[in-house]
Amino acid sequence: MGAGRLYATVAAGGFRRYATYRAATAAGVFTNTVFGLILAYTYLALWHERPHLGGYDSAQALTYVWVGQALLMTVAAMGGGFEEELAERIRTGDIAIDLHRPADLQLWWLAVDLGRALFHLLARGVLPLAVGAFVFPLALPGRPLVWAAFLVAVVLGTVVSFAIRFLVALGAFWLMDGAGVAQISWITATFCSGMLLPLNVFPGGLGEVVRALPWASLIQAPADVLLGTADPWAVFARQLAWAAVLLTAGRLLQTAATRRVVVQGG
């Protein structure tokens, strides 16, 4: 089996794995929808007092809410992907088996995570967005090319998210308990991805900093592409740059971890 076919099969397996949790998926759709309604009415009150806050009108702000709900699990902004399983395999020593398989550790888990992301986009993303469009006047684009660019930004955002969580998981090689680092990562993603508020509303230098961080690629960047408030090519370039930097860092950390396993095994 060729490498491309292998990782495609792994991604398909990741999709099927999450598709088996039907009750959890239904509960997640309900939760995303309810939380979206709460945020939408909160945004309406905020934009009533501060029209055009962050450069958005009220329809764009509402669209941002529902795009965020559609992407929350897709990009795993609060975790919940492969990283807990990988960290557990490191703690138990099962990772030694993984490192000796004829498949790259990083690419294997990336394929798994992309399969998971596709499932969540379809199962937990489409319906809440549809509900939001039914209840509120959203500023959704009518051009297919904009939607295509949005999907590209979602894929790149998912890769950036994976790269961050891969680094966090590999920290278990050197830490007695990586839960603290994981929690810090999730909290940072909550505030710096645009999950609670658009990063455009952050004032001055703080806004410039959070928009330059990798977590902005998760929700803010795809939303900007869909809303037409940013040049898609500039968004892609920034996402690709962060993906390259973080994946390279993960590769280096994986190499160091492999050497550690070999030394300890020897």
Side-chain angles (χ1 to χ4, degrees):
M1 181 183 292
R5 186 177 176 184
L6 169 64
Y7 296 120
T9 302
V10 172
F15 184 97
R16 289 194 300 269
R17 175 181 179 182
Y18 283 88
T20 60
Y21 302 114
R22 297 178 183 177
T25 299
V29 170
F30 177 78
T31 301
N32 283 134
T33 303
V34 171
F35 192 56
L37 290 169
I38 294 171
L39 274 180
Y41 284 111
T42 303
Y43 274 39
L44 280 175
L46 180 58
W47 260 259
H48 177 74
E49 295 296 324
R50 298 283 303 276
H52 300 287
L53 180 63
Y56 293 157
D57 59 28
S58 59
Q60 289 175 315
L62 288 171
T63 305
Y64 185 93
V65 168
W66 293 102
V67 169
Q69 291 307 299
L71 297 183
L72 180 61
M73 289 300 296
T74 302
V75 300
M78 298 180 66
F82 73 96
E83 62 275 11
E84 294 179 6
E85 181 179 353
L86 176 55
E88 182 62 24
R89 292 186 68 82
I90 294 172
R91 284 191 291 268
T92 61
D94 291 339
I95 191 66
I97 300 173
D98 300 339
L99 291 172
H100 286 90
R101 287 175 178 167
D104 182 76
L105 183 72
Q106 188 181 56
L107 291 178
W108 178 281
W109 287 107
L110 175 58
V112 170
D113 203 52
L114 289 175
R116 174 207 58 79
L118 178 59
F119 171 77
H120 283 309
L121 179 63
L122 297 175
R124 292 188 58 170
V126 173
L127 186 55
L129 182 60
V131 171
F134 178 78
V135 177
F136 301 99
L138 303 187
L140 295 174
R143 293 189 300 160
L145 283 178
V146 176
W147 285 101
F150 167 71
L151 291 176
V152 171
V154 170
V155 172
L156 293 176
T158 302
V159 174
V160 172
S161 173
F162 163 81
I164 294 171
R165 289 176 288 123
F166 187 72
L167 287 169
V168 170
L170 289 186
F173 274 108
W174 291 271
L175 301 173
M176 293 295 293
D177 185 359
V181 176
Q183 290 175 357
I184 292 172
S185 176
W186 300 338
I187 292 171
T188 304
T190 298
F191 289 97
C192 297
S193 66
M195 178 181 137
L196 297 179
L197 274 175
L199 302 183
N200 296 344
V201 308
F202 285 40
L206 176 61
E208 294 179 6
V209 169
V210 293
R211 287 192 294 272
L213 294 174
W215 292 277
S217 296
L218 276 58
I219 294 177
Q220 183 69 53
D224 283 341
V225 171
L226 189 69
L227 292 170
T229 57
D231 177 12
W233 295 107
V235 171
F236 299 159
R238 178 168 291 183
Q239 289 179 304
L240 284 169
W242 274 120
V245 169
L246 293 169
L247 288 173
T248 300
R251 176 71 57 184
L252 294 174
L253 201 59
Q254 176 183 322
T255 300
T258 302
R259 291 174 180 169
R260 181 183 178 93
V261 170
V262 170
V263 170
Q264 290 180 344

